[in-house]
Amino acid sequence: MKKILSVLTLVLLTVGILGGCAKENKVLKVSATSAPHAKMLEYIKDDLAKQGITLELKVIDDYNIHNRSLHEKEVDANFFQHIPYMEAQMAEFGYELETLAKVHIEPMGIYSEKITSLDELKEGAVIALPNDPSNESRALALLHRNGVIELNDVNNQAATVLDIKNNPKNITFQEMDAAALPMVLQDVDCAVINTNFALQKGLSPTKDALAIEDADSPYVNILTIRKGDGNREDLKALAEALTSEKMKKFIEDNYNGEIVPVF
């Protein structure tokens, strides 16, 4: 009888220990675009695992899905956007989101397979732009600062092609999903492309772009969460890992100035 009780006690203790471990092993779901965001998150997976957090990545290159998934609690956080984009989505869809950490800047660039300088743009040239409000205004501001067009207000973060004051070369603008821009590069004279999508095509902002934003760009990429979740320990641990010295070194060693840490 004593032997049976001992075995039973051991079983119960084992179940208790395993149950405790399972409880501590928190699954944290985060959506991200594939490059560089998902790669950065993959890099810190093991660090989070040591803290009892299993990082489950959902890699999605369609900007429109991330904030909806976060709002609907399909994920706990996302890492793909800058503050103006988040604010525009909140205004349009009523999402209640907030910034947990500011991580890096990805300088937007102007690329071409047909010309080597913006001075070579001809009358009636075609330039492709991202069609989401915040990135379109950002692209137009970059074109303004490089003398291609003149905007009514270069600081207007909701500017569209309708806000172009002067278009001396009668440029035609094609607005499309940001992820599609690298695929049409051969069909247009230029395209203004977000760095994450440029990197996927093997383009280097510092080597291949005709012009890029400088380090003072207001478009800092952020770790985004639902409003009110800022005190969650697992999300705090994620934010700390993304803004650590280890991550800073990873960015500097792997992206050669194409991505600039801001922490």
Side-chain angles (χ1 to χ4, degrees):
M1 184 68 177
K2 287 182 179 178
K3 188 175 181 180
I4 294 172
L5 287 173
S6 297
V7 171
L8 182 59
T9 301
L10 181 60
V11 169
L12 290 171
L13 284 171
T14 303
V15 170
I17 291 168
L18 290 174
C21 290
K23 203 169 186 180
E24 291 172 9
N25 191 24
K26 172 75 175 176
V27 175
L28 185 60
K29 297 179 180 179
V30 181
S31 68
T33 43
S34 52
H37 304 84
K39 290 181 180 179
M40 294 167 68
L41 289 167
E42 285 282 358
Y43 183 65
I44 57 173
K45 252 188 174 183
D46 290 344
D47 297 322
L48 292 171
K50 291 173 185 175
Q51 300 178 61
I53 301 169
T54 298
L55 184 60
E56 184 178 303
L57 286 179
K58 296 182 179 293
V59 181
I60 304 166
D61 283 328
D62 184 343
Y63 284 174
N64 298 301
I65 294 175
H66 293 276
N67 287 327
R68 184 172 69 242
S69 295
L70 181 56
H71 173 74
E72 294 176 356
K73 299 185 177 181
E74 295 172 356
V75 295
D76 301 294
N78 66 47
F79 182 39
F80 80 102
Q81 66 189 327
H82 49 63
I83 293 172
Y85 184 86
M86 180 186 73
E87 290 176 343
Q89 289 250 300
M90 289 169 65
E92 184 175 358
F93 300 108
Y95 301 146
E96 295 189 350
L97 309 175
E98 62 182 78
T99 300
L100 185 59
K102 296 179 180 180
V103 184
H104 67 276
I105 293 171
E106 301 174 12
M108 180 176 270
I110 305 172
Y111 299 87
S112 177
E113 293 184 358
K114 296 182 178 179
I115 60 174
T116 58
S117 167
L118 291 174
D119 293 334
E120 298 173 19
L121 280 171
K122 297 179 180 178
E123 179 82 12
V126 177
I127 297 180
L129 305 172
N131 62 4
D132 60 275
S134 61
N135 280 311
E136 180 170 359
S137 62
R138 182 182 180 185
L140 290 169
L142 182 58
L143 291 167
H144 170 103
R145 291 188 173 101
N146 283 276
V148 177
I149 59 169
E150 184 182 355
L151 292 169
N152 290 315
D153 178 7
V154 70
N155 296 311
N156 177 10
Q157 294 184 349
T160 71
V161 293
L162 298 177
D163 295 291
I164 296 174
K165 179 181 179 181
N166 190 19
N167 183 2
K169 292 188 176 180
N170 294 311
I171 304 293
T172 297
F173 295 98
Q174 291 186 358
E175 301 157 285
M176 61 187 67
D177 186 83
L181 289 165
M183 294 180 280
V184 302
L185 190 55
Q186 62 186 3
D187 302 317
V188 296
D189 294 286
C190 290
V192 189
I193 306 176
N194 297 74
T195 291
N196 59 314
F197 294 127
L199 292 175
Q200 288 177 38
K201 188 175 172 60
L203 295 168
S204 165
T206 54
K207 296 176 183 176
D208 300 315
L210 304 183
I212 59 171
E213 294 172 317
D214 59 32
D216 294 327
S217 168
Y219 295 91
V220 177
N221 277 230
I222 56 174
L223 176 65
T224 307
I225 59 172
R226 287 184 294 276
K227 194 166 286 186
D229 280 357
N231 290 323
R232 280 178 48 174
E233 293 302 320
D234 55 344
L235 289 171
K236 285 183 185 178
L238 175 60
E240 288 172 7
L242 275 173
T243 56
S244 64
E245 283 301 314
K246 178 179 177 178
M247 179 57 71
K248 184 177 181 181
K249 189 174 187 308
F250 175 80
I251 292 172
E252 291 172 346
D253 289 349
N254 287 276
Y255 292 104
N256 302 312
E258 296 163 1
I259 295 172
V260 182
V262 298
F263 50 88

